[in-house]
Amino acid sequence: MTAPPATVDVHEILDELNATARRAVTWLKDKLNPDGSLGEIQDGFKYYRGPWTFTLYGEPDAAHALCGWIRRNLLTAEGTLAGPPRILDDGWAYRDATLIVGTQMLQQNDLSLALMPGLLRWQDPVSGGFANDRMPDGSASDDGDIPYACGPGFACLMTGHMDAARRVADFLQTIYDAQTELPDRFFCFWSRSRQAPIRYGDADFKQRCVVENQQDVMQRWTIGGIAAGFLGRLYLADPQLRYLELARKYQSFSMAATDHQFSYPSACKSSWGAALLYQITGEPEYLAWLGRFGRWYIEAQEPEGYWHPWVEKSLGDIIEITLEYAMHIATLTGAVSSRPRPATAA
């Protein structure tokens, strides 16, 4: 993947984008098994966005089939998604939260509302963020980060848990305010025990804990876009100016990054933030950014309809990113369609 042109009129490619997304959904439906499972079960819980994406594209039967399989195979008597086929412990709350969003759209309340008490137990009582991973003993990891807080934040919004959603926004403000090396780098992981960002020199520091905004390396390019996307959604529900201002700051960090970010699949969430900010403000800089990302999604897709992740070890990895990219395209085109085409773009 390479950087798209700086000037792409997104209105000129809306039909092409919609066709791109439809190819993806067709490819995904082809991977739906007769029992309702999606892909290869041994790949683990990588299909968590399935109900969300299928529902967005008018495929409720596929979404319900997958929900039925999850209900039969992952949902435990205790009301958690911990059945044996789950396999994966990373991003525990994020995966649950993403499923909750889609299943709430479908009114599958045992897979949405009934899962919320368990999800909320992963929220840090001090910062308002969420723990990232489930440890071998079933406990929550000490580290949390921006995407894995925003994912549960979307679920909180979707199910009406506004206080918990506002606490996610508080976390995003806290971790932003704790940065000392902006705009060059953002330490995006948080230690719940220390209530501080995980920085160079900390015993638990790993390279993934920082985004070096001008470096051509695979990193969590996701942080700015998903934060702006969540804050934009929260602003629509609770229009406090501080949420919009913070969304702008996160999106600005994303849009100021090197164009080398377009070489990496994790750049995708930047279109999420730009879409919400364009829907809310109508400002041309966000529309222009959506044009670039629209072209990026089109050019990166394989003819069969799927996209490649950075780490591709299984069919599940391909399904995971294809579900996500299709969701992002729907968010992008929806935001563009929510406003009249600017006269200067005609």
Side-chain angles (χ1 to χ4, degrees), residues 45 47 70 72-76 80-88 92 134:
F45 190 30
Y47 40 82
I70 291 170
R72 294 189 299 272
N73 293 275
L74 291 190
L75 188 63
T76 69
T80 64
L81 295 175
R86 177 156 190 162
I87 300 171
L88 304 171
W92 187 271
R134 188 175 76 159

Side-chain angles (χ1 to χ4, degrees), residues 118-330:
L119 177 68
L120 292 172
R121 285 195 286 272
W122 286 74
Q123 188 167 36
D124 180 24
V126 181
S127 69
F130 278 74
N132 277 5
D133 308 322
R134 188 175 76 159
M135 306 305 289
D137 64 359
S139 64
S141 63
D142 178 63
D143 63 311
D145 70 6
I146 290 169
Y148 287 173
C150 292
F154 283 114
C156 292
L157 279 173
M158 195 70 178
T159 58
H161 289 78
M162 290 300 297
D163 288 345
R166 292 185 185 100
R167 295 191 62 236
V168 172
D170 292 342
F171 166 73
L172 294 175
Q173 185 71 66
T174 297
I175 193 171
Y176 190 93
D177 290 344
Q179 303 303 311
T180 58
E181 299 184 43
L182 292 174
D184 297 328
R185 59 188 56 85
F186 199 122
F187 293 94
C188 56
F189 275 63
W190 184 264
S191 167
R192 297 191 302 123
S193 61
R194 298 194 303 274
Q195 289 297 306
I198 300 173
R199 303 179 187 273
Y200 296 126
D202 291 331
D204 49 350
F205 177 81
K206 298 179 177 63
Q207 195 57 44
R208 64 178 182 160
C209 295
V210 63
V211 175
E212 300 273 2
N213 224 22
Q214 300 305 315
Q215 295 298 311
D216 180 7
V217 295
M218 176 58 186
Q219 51 189 335
R220 294 179 79 84
W221 298 109
T222 58
I223 63 171
I226 194 171
F230 166 71
L231 290 162
R233 291 285 186 209
L234 179 59
Y235 177 82
L236 290 172
D238 182 16
Q240 296 188 42
L241 186 58
R242 64 189 179 99
Y243 298 145
L244 182 58
E245 291 174 344
L246 186 58
R248 289 182 183 277
K249 290 178 180 178
Y250 273 101
Q251 187 65 25
S252 177
F253 179 79
S254 177
M255 292 170 63
T258 171
D259 267 6
H260 290 298
Q261 68 177 300
F262 289 104
S263 300
Y264 303 99
S266 57
C268 63
K269 289 183 174 63
S270 191
S271 70
W272 204 347
L276 268 296
L277 283 167
Y278 178 68
Q279 178 181 328
I280 293 166
T281 71
E283 292 172 5
E285 64 179 307
Y286 302 123
L287 184 63
W289 196 243
L290 293 176
R292 299 192 75 188
F293 265 95
R295 176 52 60 190
W296 186 74
Y297 288 125
I298 292 167
E299 297 299 331
Q301 189 183 46
E302 291 290 349
E304 295 86 349
Y306 62 86
W307 287 275
H308 290 287
W310 182 251
V311 177
E312 187 174 315
K313 296 181 179 180
S314 68
L315 175 62
D317 295 326
I318 301 172
I319 287 173
E320 184 175 34
I321 198 166
T322 300
L323 285 166
E324 179 170 5
Y325 276 22
M327 182 276 287
H328 287 320
I329 291 175

